[in-house]
Amino acid sequence: MHAFLGNAQLPSTPRGDRLEFSEWYAEVLRSAEIMDVRYPVKGMYVWLPYGFEIRQRVVEKLRRKLRETGHEEVLFPTLIPETQLKKESEHIAGFEDEVYWVTHGGLKELDEKLALRPTSETAIYPMFALWIRSHADLPLKIFQIVNTFRYETKHTRPLIRMREITTFKEAHTAHATEEEAEEQVKEAVEIYSSFFDELGIPYIASVRPEWDKFPGAEYTVAFDTLMPDGRTLQIGTVHMLGQNFARTFEVTYETEEGDQEYVYMTCYGISDRVVASMIAIHGDERGLVLPPDVAPYQVVMVPILKKGVRRKILERAAEVEEMLREEGVRVKVDDRDMSPGRKFHYWELKGVPLRIELGARELEEGTAVVFRRDELERETYAFEELPDVVPELLEDIAMELRKRAREKFEKGIFRTDSPEEARRLVGEGIVETGWCGSERCGVRMEEEFGGDVLGTPYPEEDTEFERCPICGETAEYTVRIAKTY
Ligand SMILES: Nc1ncnc2c1ncn2[C@@H]1O[C@H](COS(=O)(=O)NC(=O)[C@@H](N)CS)[C@@H](O)[C@H]1O
């Protein structure tokens, strides 16, 4: 494998609060060879082979879930004519200061500016109007996994806030009735929940407040996770669009009674942030810790070569490799001319879930030393056990990562009805408190507590809080506030 970035060193400082985390994050993307951030356009970065393979496995998992739930994959053009992009007024109001424009074809000025898609509602829905004729064409459920462009003015950061979002999965659906569209929102939430669970990423789902929902949507359900620096990251969103875009783009269908009716639509998106949160949440001082499901290599074998038994050890390593390959395990034998210790460091940095060490003693005893990346512990197993033990250990690592992340996440949720406490805790994690439900108090909470209102629990639940901490009125809801990315 080509060493794209040379052998960098992770900051040895144990990860802790905000500064260390962002330094750790930047360094691990570099030294584990996930992305090269030296590309000369702000907010745009290069996927390196190792990172790209992790991304591919994450995308495959999501693609499978969407296909299994009746979504069909499509691919739309990147460029959207200005008139089309501007048709839905709320939508364009939400995006106009983020759109990149193409104004020329070669030396010729275009007669109409073309937008690089920030998201594809206005590209897709005019085609929906052509594709949907009668109720027999419904429900229509499509998705695409593309790059989108947003001229972000806040601090850009690889995978977290990019100007070219390189892994933007957007699903768009059309339904005959509002009830079916509501059912689709529930299905999308279910798909996202199981997707994040399988990657061991904990989250809460909240209905975003009116002033922070997706432009043009009726309401937005957002998935937020907690990063090691106490800030939340929005890792997925599901939008109920109602008939808003259908009216704007004349997406109608003929009912069984022969009337023309506007369709009800939903859309839901996930981006590279899922990779960012997986890296940030499972990583440790030694670097990446990858869930086995999406690890390019699930097992790396390091032969401890000694004079006189070198060939025998390499033969034994090849046998183990064959045995594991037959079990469907992704295994790599590292026979580079390098000290075992440096190999250990190299693969721990890359987050390979299991390492098998084979030396003269293991050869003699017919055993193998297995090192778990999550627990940083070694166990010795008999050689014949490996085909059974290794898959079980990989399963166990996936569960252990999920469990640890969940426990840490729960510790980052604080319930309080004291404004002083809330002010102190926002920035440490997610604060839950009472809310009367008024926008005035919601915005006041953001100012007073120094965070963003994430919204109210989804699905809806009764609040156990008495009072709104701002106006003192009865709390109608539980509200979540946090410092966000
Ligand atoms: N600049 C960005 N860099 C990386 N990910 C982003 C960026 N902006 C948004 N995202 C991610 O993309 C997801 C979907 O974006 S969105 O605006 O909320 N929703 C849409 O665009 C809808 N069309 C759903 S497909 C967000 O939940 C967030 O996780």
Side-chain angles (χ1 to χ4, degrees):
M1 265 150 66
H2 178 65
F4 287 85
L5 298 163
N7 40 13
Q9 295 301 321
L10 259 189
S12 56
T13 45
R15 284 192 329 169
D17 61 30
R18 70 209 81 259
L19 177 76
E20 268 136 17
F21 168 69
S22 75
E23 186 189 321
W24 176 91
Y25 180 73
E27 200 37 49
V28 83
L29 286 185
R30 204 178 95 81
S31 43
E33 297 186 309
I34 304 295
M35 269 198 152
D36 193 330
V37 299
R38 293 173 295 182
Y39 193 75
V41 177
K42 182 175 158 63
M44 301 185 186
Y45 315 98
V46 180
W47 279 103
L48 294 170
Y50 191 68
F52 189 77
E53 186 172 343
I54 295 168
R55 170 192 183 273
Q56 285 310 87
R57 293 182 182 284
V58 169
V59 162
E60 248 341 281
K61 181 185 278 288
L62 184 53
R63 180 174 270 128
R64 200 169 36 251
K65 286 183 177 303
L66 288 164
R67 285 218 176 110
E68 283 164 2
T69 48
H71 296 76
E72 295 175 279
E73 188 165 8
V74 297
L75 183 56
F76 271 73
T78 302
L79 299 178
I80 305 175
E82 180 177 20
T83 45
Q84 208 162 296
L85 183 83
K86 293 193 165 179
K87 256 194 175 162
E88 213 286 338
S89 54
E90 262 186 56
H91 185 70
I92 187 56
F95 278 106
E96 64 191 345
D97 55 0
E98 289 188 0
V99 175
Y100 281 94
W101 292 103
V102 173
T103 57
H104 286 73
L107 299 176
K108 188 175 169 310
E109 181 156 6
L110 297 176
D111 47 18
E112 177 176 19
K113 284 197 305 188
L114 300 171
L116 288 174
R117 61 184 166 212
T119 173
S120 302
E121 283 73 10
T122 58
I124 293 174
Y125 300 159
M127 301 310 288
F128 270 25
L130 300 175
W131 296 341
I132 296 169
R133 319 243 41 87
S134 88
H135 56 86
D137 299 320
L138 299 174
L140 178 60
K141 296 164 60 168
I142 61 156
F143 72 98
Q144 65 177 1
I145 303 176
V146 293
N147 55 344
T148 54
F149 297 84
R150 298 187 184 188
Y151 187 70
E152 297 279 0
T153 45
K154 281 170 77 173
H155 181 52
T156 52
R157 203 188 292 258
L159 301 178
I160 288 176
R161 183 176 299 283
M162 303 191 284
R163 288 186 166 176
E164 177 171 5
I165 306 169
T166 52
T167 315
F168 190 79
K169 186 288 298 169
E170 50 179 328
H172 299 267
T173 69
H175 307 269
T177 65
E178 187 162 30
E179 292 67 35
E180 282 173 35
E182 290 292 357
E183 280 313 302
Q184 189 54 49
V185 165
K186 289 194 184 81
E187 180 184 84
V189 167
E190 184 40 50
I191 291 168
Y192 283 13
S193 303
S194 71
F195 177 59
F196 295 132
D197 288 350
E198 286 174 24
L199 297 173
I201 302 167
Y203 55 80
I204 46 165
S206 309
V207 180
R208 281 283 188 264
E210 271 305 303
W211 63 87
D212 185 32
K213 66 184 180 183
F214 180 69
E218 293 290 310
Y219 65 81
T220 287
V221 177
F223 284 73
D224 294 301
T225 190
L226 194 53
M227 301 287 264
D229 59 0
R231 294 164 70 188
T232 58
L233 180 65
Q234 177 184 286
I235 50 174
T237 29
V238 180
H239 311 293
M240 164 54 86
L241 302 179
Q243 293 177 313
N244 301 344
F245 284 89
R247 293 182 191 288
T248 306
F249 291 97
E250 285 304 311
V251 187
T252 62
Y253 74 99
E254 187 173 294
T255 64
E256 290 180 76
E257 297 72 40
D259 308 320
Q260 285 298 319
E261 174 69 72
Y262 288 113
V263 299
Y264 290 85
M265 292 201 249
T266 79
C267 67
Y268 27 105
I270 277 182
S271 80
D272 309 77
R273 288 185 176 179
V274 65
V275 176
S277 58
M278 189 178 75
I279 287 173
I281 288 166
H282 298 315
D284 68 8
E285 287 71 34
R286 301 192 189 185
L288 294 183
V289 183
L290 292 177
D293 245 6
V294 296
Y297 300 115
Q298 294 165 317
V299 174
V300 64
M301 289 181 55
V302 177
I304 320 283
L305 301 174
K306 238 175 69 183
K307 286 217 179 335
V309 283
R310 181 183 160 78
R311 196 174 41 73
K312 280 202 174 353
I313 288 179
L314 286 174
E315 275 166 12
R316 173 56 56 88
E319 275 177 74
V320 174
E321 181 186 15
E322 199 36 52
M323 279 169 21
L324 294 179
R325 282 243 163 87
E326 267 154 36
E327 299 301 317
V329 175
R330 294 189 291 278
V331 53
K332 169 141 184 101
V333 178
D334 183 353
D335 52 9
R336 289 177 298 175
D337 181 13
M338 190 193 277
S339 75
R342 279 192 56 207
K343 292 180 184 178
F344 292 177
H345 168 86
Y346 180 88
W347 295 108
E348 285 171 11
L349 186 50
K350 284 196 177 319
V352 176
L354 285 176
R355 176 175 76 229
I356 293 180
E357 301 163 17
L358 273 179
R361 207 176 63 174
E362 289 69 42
L363 197 65
E364 233 164 78
E365 294 169 357
T367 62
V369 173
V370 180
F371 172 84
R372 277 182 64 147
R373 178 65 184 83
D374 59 335
E375 292 177 347
L376 303 176
E377 304 269 329
R378 281 178 171 77
E379 281 280 340
T380 301
Y381 294 92
F383 171 72
E384 305 72 30
E385 286 182 283
L386 292 176
D388 297 329
V389 157
V390 164
E392 280 165 23
L393 286 173
L394 291 172
E395 261 304 301
D396 201 38
I397 290 172
M399 285 189 291
E400 177 63 20
L401 291 179
R402 189 177 304 122
K403 181 165 142 292
R404 281 185 189 175
R406 185 83 228 160
E407 283 164 5
K408 194 161 180 315
F409 184 75
E410 296 294 354
K411 287 202 191 82
I413 299 184
F414 309 102
R415 292 172 182 78
T416 178
D417 47 20
S418 132
E420 293 68 37
E421 266 243 290
R423 195 173 302 115
R424 187 171 58 77
L425 291 167
V426 165
E428 296 305 313
I430 298 167
V431 170
E432 287 200 335
T433 189
W435 183 31
C436 64
S438 76
E439 181 163 337
R440 193 181 62 81
C441 289
V443 173
R444 282 275 306 280
M445 268 193 247
E446 291 187 334
E447 287 152 11
E448 292 214 8
F449 300 162
D452 293 321
V453 165
L454 301 180
T456 54
Y458 179 91
E460 273 185 46
E461 58 187 45
D462 294 337
T463 182
E464 76 275 21
F465 290 100
E466 301 286 318
R467 301 250 159 270
C468 171
I470 302 293
C471 65
E473 293 297 313
T474 311
E476 300 297 333
Y477 305 95
T478 293
V479 72
R480 289 138 174 189
I481 299 124
K483 261 204 184 344
T484 64
Y485 268 90

